[in-house]
Amino acid sequence: MAGTMQPVYERILMDAAQIAAVVDSLAERIDRSYAACEPLLALVVLEGARRFADDLLSRMQHPVEPVFISTSSYHGGTHSAGIVKIVIPPALGKAIGGRHILLIDDIYDTGLTLSSLAEQIKQFAPASLKTCVLLEKKTPHKKPLRVDFLGFTVEDTFVVGYGLDYRNQYRDLPFIAALRKDLTTG
Ligand code: 5GP
Ligand code: MG
């Protein structure tokens, strides 16, 4: 098969320049919306949102304390299993109380991940809670929620790149692309 390597993606949806421009404008909007507030506590949902959050937080002027949390609903597949494993440990819960919280995730798909996290965060009585998401999928959300800062809207297809993986691959692509359908097993 030498010389016939096909790309893993069907097409590029957002190239690196488009992503950078959107991340810049999100950083500006977030800075403006918190101008008079205390330092933010940013809760970043791993693994997918790590790269987005690194870029976003480094472009912001407002002081931010990042905290990384793990959840997983895909279990290596390409369709949400509907199982959301949330880890907000008690110590983090204590840190949330009275603070301005920015919840950062990569994708708003079914909405299960973000709404479950948001519900938990609220129980720890933050001063405020806002959400920032790089991509919203055009799909009927099972758990609709308000996204305060949204990067892009994409069609309902499985995407990889810019931190987003398929079975822990393709995170390093500098753009966001639709994964080739024949590579997904459902
Ligand atoms: P939700 O709970 O909204 O259904 O799923 C959100 C999570 O599923 C996202 O945080 C993301 O990690 C993962 N996810 C949803 N759609 C995609 C996709 O197209 N590509 C990748 N790599 N992950 C996705
Ligand atoms: Mg995720």
Side-chain angles (χ1 to χ4, degrees), residues 41-120:
L41 188 65
L43 262 58
V44 181
V45 184
L46 296 178
E47 283 287 325
R50 187 196 289 276
R51 178 160 177 185
F52 170 47
D54 280 348
D55 285 351
L56 181 74
L57 300 183
S58 69
R59 283 168 167 89
M60 282 172 56
Q61 306 292 314
H62 198 90
V64 185
E65 184 189 333
V67 175
F68 298 88
I69 51 176
S70 295
T71 117
S72 159
S73 61
Y74 270 66
H75 303 293
T78 55
H79 291 102
S80 179
I83 304 157
V84 183
K85 286 190 275 169
I86 306 283
V87 189
I88 295 202
L92 175 54
K94 272 195 196 137
I96 286 171
R99 300 286 302 275
H100 294 282
I101 308 299
L102 181 65
L103 178 58
I104 303 177
D105 203 357
D106 50 3
I107 301 182
Y108 169 24
D109 184 8
T110 65
L112 291 171
T113 307
L114 281 168
S115 58
S116 169
L117 280 170
E119 276 161 34
Q120 289 186 74

Side-chain angles (χ1 to χ4, degrees), residues 47-52 106 134 159-166 168-176:
E47 283 287 325
R50 187 196 289 276
R51 178 160 177 185
F52 170 47
D106 50 3
L134 178 63
V159 296
V160 294
Y162 192 64
L164 305 168
D165 75 310
Y166 174 61
N168 218 18
Q169 293 185 81
Y170 319 128
R171 289 191 200 281
D172 53 333
L173 296 174
F175 45 76
I176 295 168

